[in-house]
Each structure stands twice: as structure tokens, then as C-alpha cells.
Amino acid sequence: MAEPGSDVVVVGAGIIGAACAFFGARAGLSITVLDRGSVGGGTTSRCEGNILVSDKGPGPELDLALASRSLWLDLAAEHGAERYELEEKGGLVVATSEAGLSSLRSFAAGQGTGGVIAEPVASERLRDHEPNLAAGLPGGAFYPQDMQVQPVLAAASLLAAARDLGARVVTGEEVTGALRGADGRITAVRTARTTYPTAAVVNAAGTWGAVVGERLGGTVPVLPRRGFILVTEPLPRVVRHKVYSADYVDNVASGDAGLETSAVVEGTRGGTVLIGASRERVGFDETLSVEVLRRLAAQAVRLFPFLAQVRLMRSYRGFRPYCPDHLPVIGSDRRVPGLLHACGHEGAGIGLAPATGRLVADLLTGAPPQLDPAAFDPMRFVLEDA
């Protein structure tokens, strides 16, 4: 027996699915969210919760990031910052060589044309921002627009706000396929247990977006990119901002399948310090790599020498939803009427979620989109392959 119908089924209860559900419900659509696991149990639970503009050059992703940052602030004002643990903490990008400092300055200058505020920091002023940094670093840039949320809490809060607007959230329900009418349009999604009648489906399955897209008739080239994070014992607030080495930006933009690491260090409200970041494409292999952990720890100690005396509590790992051109897939799949995608945000999904959700809501309702969706069109890959 089929479940009650809704205007839209959102597949995925992570941060992107939660944002799509909230903005869709706020636009007046009836929404059902389905997830095979728990709320925020996938990639959303395996990340730091960054809302960054510092790592993005001028272009459509930066436009999406700036729009999303503004929406995060609106959500915090509407619901209360504590509901998301939103911190306007700022980011400090540190060069570890003179060549790196020159590249950072050039990158920051270009970002200014896109609306990013980047304040140069001389070597002798770095410790004004972070007193525990290593001595002798050549300089850096401070990004006051960078922020952070607690990712699982943020996803759960957005879904709670969507429920308040009438949305329904069903966990432990894996989507296995779609039913389509004579014209090819989706009329329902199937699960192992039942069907959910709907006029539209949003594939917000994150790293598993390619799998879900294929089941719904429109696959997209989203691949898993594994990353590890170390977590220290609770400490006083010894790291004030998100701090990372300048080579992190190059690693984010790289398409290399091999292992890449760069120092990323930040504190949390609970007192732990999070240490990353690594990237490698190894499929969905969850094997613990001691070599990656060792490399991350060594890089962090070079930035913050005091960490050498700090105990690690644990490490965790997850998969970023990687797209070959480093842009998310957001929009209608013209191969399957009624199917939209909202996935492939790689490591930026937390930051980009609100603007993604609002853009999807605009596309679903026919409202003029507040951002040009052309760069994120799912069909760009289909056209390239044709």
C-alpha cells in the first residue's frame, strides 16, 4: 500500500537534503524526506561544519558560498544561533614559505573582486590572531567572513524547522527506484517497503548521489573522496579560528586521485581541536590509514607546536561527494521529468547548503532563481559525453 503523496520527495537527510526540505516547505510545497540511515548520518556527520569563502576563487561556487553565508546568518537570526551552534569565528590562512605567501597574496587579491574580504597579516602579527602559532611563519591572510556550525545539529535543526512547516521525515527507508508515467515523468519513488507518490524527486544523497541518480534514471558523476580528521582531548580555547596552510586551497581544487594532505586546525565549543585535512579517491574503502593520521598530526604540530604534547581521543573518516569539475550538481535532470539533483558539493556542502536549498525551491516552484543555476546544471556532463 502506498504512503500519502507529497509534492516533493527529497532523498537524503543530510545537510543538503535538510536545506532543500526547509526551503521547499517554506515555499509552500508538501515535502517528504527519505533516508536509508539517520538524520545527518552520512557525510554530514564526518566533517567539521565549515562555512568558508576563504578557499574559493571568483566564480559560481563563490557566488553560491556568499549567498549561502548570508542565508546562514538569516537562519541564525530567525531561529537562534544556538540552534546551529553558528560561530562567526573567521579563518586564518598561513603561508609556510615565501613562495606560498606570494601565491596566497595573489589568490586573495583575486578573491576581492568576488566580494571576499581578505586582510593581509604580516609575519610578526600572526600571533595577534593565534598566540599559539609556530614562530617564524612568513605571513598569511585573515578572512573574517569564514564561519562554522555543528553539522549534525544544523541538519537536524533545519529538518525540525521543515517539520514545523508540514514536512515529513522518514529514516531507515532506502529508495530503490522510481515509478514513471506514460510521458516518462516520475510519479512515485519505490522503497523496499512501499511507494511514495510524488510529482518531483530531489536527489540529495551526497556521496551516494550517483547510486541514487542511477536508481531514479539519471545518474551523475559523483565520486567518493575519502578524508580523515583527528580529534584531541578537550582543551581551553587554544585555537581561536579555523587555521589552515595555504596549500589547502590547491588540494581542494586538485583532481588528483592520490593522497593529498594539508594542515587544517580548528577548535570547537566543546574544547576539542579538529585536525585535517586529507583527500584521496579510493572508492568507499573505509580502511584506517595510520600513515594519513601520522601525516596530519605532523603537519598540525608544525603550525601549532603545543599539539605535540596533546593527546588524541579519536579519529574519524568519511567521504566527500566529489564532482570532476569541482562544482556541485544542482538542477533538473532533463532525461527524467520530475527529477532534480542537489549533490556533489565535495567538502563545501555545509557552507553551500542554504543557497542550494533555496535554489532547488526556486526551480521547483518556478520562482525566478536568485542565483544563475547554469554552472551547476546536471546536464553539463551529459552534453560533454554526447
Side-chain angles (χ1 to χ4, degrees):
M1 182 176 177
E3 294 287 324
S6 56
D7 296 326
V8 182
V9 167
V10 176
V11 184
I15 193 67
I16 299 296
C20 291
F22 171 74
F23 284 98
R26 197 166 74 168
L29 298 169
S30 59
I31 305 288
T32 298
V33 180
L34 303 178
D35 197 293
R36 67 179 183 179
S38 59
V39 170
T43 299
T44 298
S45 66
R46 309 298 177 91
C47 63
E48 303 101 311
N50 295 319
I51 301 169
L52 302 183
V53 299
S54 56
D55 61 346
K56 299 171 181 65
E61 187 183 27
L62 178 58
D63 295 340
L64 192 68
L66 288 168
S68 216
R69 180 185 184 277
S70 179
L71 286 170
W72 272 120
L73 292 172
D74 290 345
L75 288 166
E78 181 179 349
H79 301 140
E82 289 301 316
R83 193 163 178 177
Y84 304 100
E85 287 190 10
L86 177 72
E87 291 187 84
E88 297 180 66
K89 64 196 303 184
L92 183 66
V93 183
V94 179
T96 56
S97 67
E98 290 296 338
L101 180 60
S102 178
S103 296
L104 174 59
R105 285 172 174 165
S106 296
F107 183 70
Q111 289 176 298
T113 65
V116 174
I117 300 169
E119 303 169 358
V121 182
S123 174
E124 64 273 14
R125 304 308 299 269
L126 284 172
R127 287 186 171 183
D128 292 347
H129 294 279
E130 290 289 345
N132 293 302
L133 267 176
L137 295 167
F142 180 66
Y143 289 84
Q145 293 161 299
D146 282 356
M147 307 191 301
Q148 185 179 28
V149 293
Q150 206 294 329
V152 176
L153 177 63
S157 295
L158 281 172
L159 284 174
R163 281 193 186 100
D164 290 343
L165 295 169
R168 179 186 182 198
V169 180
V170 184
T171 56
E173 191 84 293
E174 183 169 4
V175 170
T176 59
L179 303 180
R180 297 163 70 174
D183 60 356
R185 176 170 290 277
I186 287 179
T187 59
V189 298
R190 293 196 314 268
T191 70
R193 185 180 64 86
T194 188
T195 59
Y196 290 82
T198 186
V201 182
V202 178
N203 171 18
T207 308
W208 296 269
V211 175
V212 170
E214 184 173 13
R215 291 176 180 177
L216 297 173
T219 191
V220 286
V222 176
L223 301 171
R225 204 177 186 190
R226 189 175 69 183
F228 288 82
I229 295 173
L230 309 180
V231 185
T232 73
E233 62 185 317
L235 302 166
R237 199 62 184 262
V238 289
V239 181
R240 300 175 178 178
H241 310 92
K242 181 182 178 69
V243 182
Y244 62 85
S245 60
D247 54 354
Y248 171 81
V249 175
D250 292 333
N251 285 354
V252 170
S254 170
D256 196 327
L259 174 64
E260 296 175 330
T261 62
S262 52
V264 180
V265 183
E266 62 191 305
T268 69
R269 287 193 176 186
T272 58
V273 174
L274 306 180
I275 298 169
S278 66
R279 284 173 163 78
E280 56 186 330
R281 293 213 311 272
V282 292
F284 285 102
D285 182 359
E286 294 188 346
T287 303
L288 177 67
S289 171
V290 175
E291 173 55 32
V292 174
L293 303 187
R294 184 183 295 114
R295 191 184 298 190
L296 292 177
Q299 290 175 333
V301 168
R302 282 196 287 272
L303 279 188
F304 289 96
F306 80 90
L307 287 172
Q309 307 305 317
V310 172
R311 291 176 297 182
L312 291 175
M313 284 200 309
R314 63 187 179 97
S315 67
Y316 60 93
R317 54 203 178 275
F319 301 100
R320 302 177 183 90
Y322 165 89
C323 267
D325 62 359
H326 299 283
L327 290 176
V329 179
I330 309 170
S332 299
D333 191 320
R334 293 186 288 280
R335 297 167 295 184
V336 185
L339 173 61
L340 293 86
H341 300 283
C343 51
H345 295 72
E346 200 169 337
I350 306 298
L352 300 179
T356 297
R358 187 177 67 178
L359 181 55
V360 168
D362 290 341
L363 295 172
L364 286 166
T365 60
Q370 299 190 32
L371 281 171
D372 184 356
F376 313 115
D377 187 352
M379 304 309 292
R380 68 188 188 269
F381 300 110
V382 177
L383 295 173
E384 285 175 3
D385 294 341

